[in-house]
């Protein structure tokens, strides 16, 4: 039997008394024995002393933070729980399911002090829950490897620079907000502006080798809709989907982000370019808020405890490029009340390498994807595209910015033709601009075609301006 199987195999716990832990089994003083003691100390038990909200307090239970436990219940199956904090010499646990049947004195058993995830190429095309267990009805895959939920962070000097573009198939993104392999990009949007459709389009048509899609806090019915309508059979075939719906425990919702990151790191270490999609970071923060408040943390900014703002960089920094492969992160943020300055959105925007703002105003006009180009930014675009591409994008942006400034005057008929050359060009070329920026759900554009169309559009705009005396950008 291999060391891996010995290390994580389940063994029965036989406690001498319900309130006293059984002594550890003596093992030879070897590296293997020390590893076993550290990862799976046998016989550690405790008992429930009180219940406060969602949190259980367990006495005589020195389990480490993050350990998985089993809570026995009266007349019901045991619950899985996780150690989330300590108070007054007691361990604070949160359970994954309903607490019905838990009583004072209920036995708590340590199952695993360093949880890991079974992984393998057989997970492609499968759907997992927030703890990494299969949700679909397919056959059990062969999963020969294990990954840690929370690996130690690597040195920032070991990360190569981002210098290769990732084609998403979305013209507005690839032309003006070009994403690089290993970049972390945020998609900021309110509800109902086409965020899920955009994620599905990118997952189906991007140039990444593997997609890892993490759905956190979604409605139960939306998971199947995303799989069938947005992702589709083509996208699912090269994807692993992790789904933790809104009715599940905050532990499961938070853990889903770790499961998705661990899966992405596994495929990255196999030399592949991975697209990690997390929808959404806001619901991850809400799950951590529930956990933090249950563990006794004081609420800070708008009711969010400090652990929320400590969690965000740990989650977001797991994307990036290494010498083996890359993880390109797409993280959605639900903008509360369409306010991009709310705490979670503001914090995430400061960590990421770029942000894409989806506009409700554009969505109401039927402009999809509803990307507000003038409010969006890719911080690595200048490192991954050619000078011609960058110049063409800047030329089109100049026309769009000029039109945005004069839009109110145009809409009420107060704009006088000839007042500003860029606005005149935008008005003449409205159809071409709209045709380039809008895209159907099943439409996509490859990278070479995109560059040709962008340069053609920019030269057309400059040609119109040149008739009025302005020097084109390409000269």
């Amino acid at each position: 039997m291999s060391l891996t199987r010995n290390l994580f195999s389940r063994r029965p716990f036989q406690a001498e008394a319900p309130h006293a832990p059984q002594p550890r089994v003596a093992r030879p003083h070897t590296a293997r024995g020390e590893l076993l003691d550290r990862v799976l100390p046998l016989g550690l038990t405790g008992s429930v002393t009180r219940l406060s909200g969602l949190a259980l307090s367990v006495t005589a239970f020195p389990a480490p933070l993050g350990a998985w436990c089993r809570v026995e219940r009266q007349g019901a199956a045991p619950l899985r729980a996780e150690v989330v904090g300590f108070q007054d010499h007691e361990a604070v646990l949160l359970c994954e399911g309903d607490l019905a049947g838990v009583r004072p004195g209920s036995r708590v058993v340590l199952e695993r002090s360093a949880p890991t995830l079974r992984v393998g190429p057989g997970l492609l095309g499968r759907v997992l829950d927030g703890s990494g267990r299969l949700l679909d009805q397919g056959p059990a895959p062969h999963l020969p490897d294990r990954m840690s939920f929370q690996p130690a962070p690597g040195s920032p000097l070991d990360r190569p620079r981002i210098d290769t573009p990732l084609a998403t198939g979305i013209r507005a993104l690839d032309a003006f907000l070009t994403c690089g392999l290993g970049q972390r990009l945020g998609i900021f949007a309110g509800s109902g502006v086409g965020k899920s459709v955009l994620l599905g389009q990118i997952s189906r048509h991007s140039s990444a080798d593997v997609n890892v899609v993490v759905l956190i806090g979604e409605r139960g019915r939306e998971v199947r809709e995303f799989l069938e309508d947005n992702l589709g059979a083509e996208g699912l075939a090269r994807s692993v989907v992790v789904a933790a719906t809104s009715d599940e425990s905050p532990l499961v919702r938070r853990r889903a982000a770790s499961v998705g990151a661990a899966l992405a790191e596994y495929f990255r270490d196999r030399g592949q370019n991975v697209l990690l999609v997390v929808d959404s970071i806001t619901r991850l923060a809400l799950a951590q808020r529930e956990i933090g408040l249950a563990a006794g943390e004081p609420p800070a900014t708008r009711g969010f405890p400090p652990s929320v703002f400590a969690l965000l960089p740990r989650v977001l920094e797991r994307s990036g490029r290494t010498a083996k492969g890359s993880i390109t992160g797409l993280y959605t943020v639900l903008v509360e009340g369409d306010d991009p300055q709310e705490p979670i959105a503001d914090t995430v925007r400061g960590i990421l390498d770029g942000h894409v703002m989806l506009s409700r105003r554009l969505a109401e006009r039927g402009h999809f994807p509803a990307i507000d180009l003038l409010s969006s930014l890719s911080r690595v675009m200048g490192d991954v595209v050619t000078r011609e591409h960058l110049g063409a994008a800047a030329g089109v942006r100049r026309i769009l910015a000029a039109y945005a400034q004069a839009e109110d005057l145009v809409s009420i008929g107060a704009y006088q033709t000839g007042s500003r050359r860029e606005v005149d060009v935008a008005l003449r070329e409205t159809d071409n601009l709209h045709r380039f920026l809008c895209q159907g759900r099943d439409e996509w554009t490859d990278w070479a075609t995109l560059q040709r169309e962008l340069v053609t559009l920019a030269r057309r705009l400059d040609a119109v301006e040149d008739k009025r005396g302005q020097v084109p950008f390409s000269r």
Side-chain angles (χ1 to χ4, degrees):
M1 184 180 294
S2 66
L3 171 60
T4 303
R5 292 187 59 188
N6 282 331
L7 182 59
F8 296 99
S9 60
R10 296 283 182 86
R11 300 184 183 182
F13 292 91
Q14 298 293 335
E16 296 178 351
H19 302 293
Q22 185 180 18
R24 290 185 181 178
V25 178
R27 297 191 180 96
H29 185 70
T30 63
R32 175 177 173 179
E34 291 175 0
L35 183 60
L36 287 170
D37 280 334
R38 184 172 71 250
V39 175
L40 189 60
L42 296 179
L44 185 59
T45 64
S47 59
V48 175
T49 56
R50 57 193 172 94
L51 169 63
S52 177
L54 301 174
L56 299 175
S57 295
V58 181
T59 187
F61 196 66
L65 191 68
W68 287 5
C69 311
R70 186 176 70 249
V71 180
E72 298 178 354
R73 295 189 292 175
Q74 185 75 31
L79 284 175
R80 173 178 281 179
E82 182 177 320
V83 179
V84 297
F86 306 96
Q87 286 183 352
D88 300 328
H89 306 290
E90 294 178 327
V92 179
L93 276 65
L94 250 61
C95 295
E96 292 185 4
D98 188 6
L99 294 176
V102 177
R103 60 178 178 80
S106 291
R107 187 166 177 259
V108 180
V109 181
L110 176 65
E111 285 192 336
R112 194 172 296 170
S113 60
T116 57
L117 176 70
R118 285 191 176 275
V119 293
L123 288 176
L124 288 175
R126 307 303 297 271
V127 182
L128 312 179
D129 67 6
S131 295
R133 296 169 293 209
L134 289 171
L135 273 179
D136 55 30
Q137 303 301 317
H142 175 59
L143 305 177
D145 302 309
R146 284 188 179 269
M147 293 291 294
S148 171
F149 279 88
Q150 295 291 342
S155 169
L157 297 181
D158 293 335
R159 293 191 174 190
R161 293 190 59 174
I162 297 172
D163 55 10
T164 305
L166 171 75
T168 66
I170 308 299
R171 286 191 295 270
L173 283 178
D174 291 344
F176 304 102
L177 304 167
T178 312
C179 185
L181 290 175
Q183 183 178 355
R184 301 161 304 164
L185 193 65
I187 298 178
F188 294 73
S191 57
V193 295
K195 167 177 54 66
S196 296
V197 174
L198 178 60
L199 293 178
Q201 287 178 282
I202 296 173
S203 299
R204 283 200 308 272
H205 303 305
S206 78
S207 59
D209 301 317
V210 175
N211 301 319
V212 177
V213 181
V214 184
L215 305 176
I216 302 175
E218 292 285 347
R219 303 176 186 89
R221 67 170 181 82
E222 291 181 333
V223 174
R224 182 175 290 274
E225 289 180 4
F226 180 85
L227 294 176
E228 296 178 355
D229 297 339
N230 298 328
L231 191 59
E234 178 186 356
L236 182 60
R238 62 189 185 107
S239 304
V240 185
V241 178
V242 181
T245 54
S246 58
D247 59 339
E248 296 193 70
S249 160
L251 281 178
V252 178
R253 283 179 272 144
R254 184 187 67 176
R255 192 179 298 147
S258 298
V259 170
L263 290 167
E265 288 164 348
Y266 169 75
F267 288 108
R268 177 203 64 192
D269 292 343
R270 291 169 58 89
Q272 295 176 299
N273 294 316
V274 183
L275 177 65
L276 173 62
V277 177
V278 180
D279 183 19
S280 70
I281 288 294
T282 304
R283 294 190 179 117
L284 172 64
L286 293 176
Q288 179 60 37
R289 180 172 68 177
E290 293 182 50
I291 295 171
L293 294 177
E297 283 189 80
T301 308
R302 291 200 190 178
F304 288 99
S307 62
V308 172
F309 300 98
L311 174 68
L312 292 176
R314 292 204 306 270
V315 170
L316 299 175
E317 284 289 348
R318 293 181 70 172
S319 297
R321 186 181 172 194
T322 68
K324 297 179 180 178
S326 68
I327 301 175
T328 304
L330 287 183
Y331 303 94
T332 67
V333 180
L334 294 173
V335 181
E336 182 181 347
D338 291 338
D339 176 17
Q341 305 304 322
E342 60 93 15
I344 300 301
D346 192 49
T347 301
V348 172
R349 188 169 57 249
I351 298 172
L352 296 177
D353 305 317
H355 53 272
V356 177
M357 309 298 295
L358 299 189
S359 167
R360 187 174 302 278
R361 176 177 55 85
L362 292 177
E364 289 171 349
R365 296 177 180 177
H367 181 116
F368 291 103
I371 299 173
D372 186 350
L373 293 177
L374 301 180
S375 300
S376 304
L377 174 70
S378 172
R379 292 192 175 104
V380 304
M381 179 175 175
D383 297 327
V384 299
V385 300
T386 63
R387 292 184 62 183
E388 185 181 31
H389 184 142
L390 201 61
V396 178
R397 270 180 177 270
R398 186 177 67 248
I399 301 299
L400 294 174
Y403 179 77
Q405 293 174 356
E407 186 174 11
D408 290 339
L409 293 176
V410 173
S411 64
I412 63 175
Y415 176 76
Q416 297 294 323
T417 302
S419 300
R420 190 173 179 184
R421 289 189 295 270
E422 291 90 346
V423 179
D424 294 343
V425 171
L427 292 174
R428 291 191 188 100
E429 298 297 318
T430 297
D431 291 342
N432 288 324
L433 288 168
H434 183 81
R435 190 179 304 112
F436 185 84
L437 296 176
C438 292
Q439 199 163 332
R441 174 180 294 194
D442 299 321
E443 184 183 356
W444 69 284
T445 303
D446 63 81
W447 182 251
T449 303
L450 175 279
Q451 290 187 305
R452 288 196 304 269
E453 291 183 355
L454 173 62
V455 171
T456 299
L457 175 64
R459 287 176 176 169
R460 179 179 179 84
L461 297 179
D462 264 351
V464 174
E465 286 187 316
D466 191 44
K467 293 176 182 179
R468 305 191 62 87
Q470 180 155 324
V471 178
F473 80 91
S474 55
R475 292 183 181 174

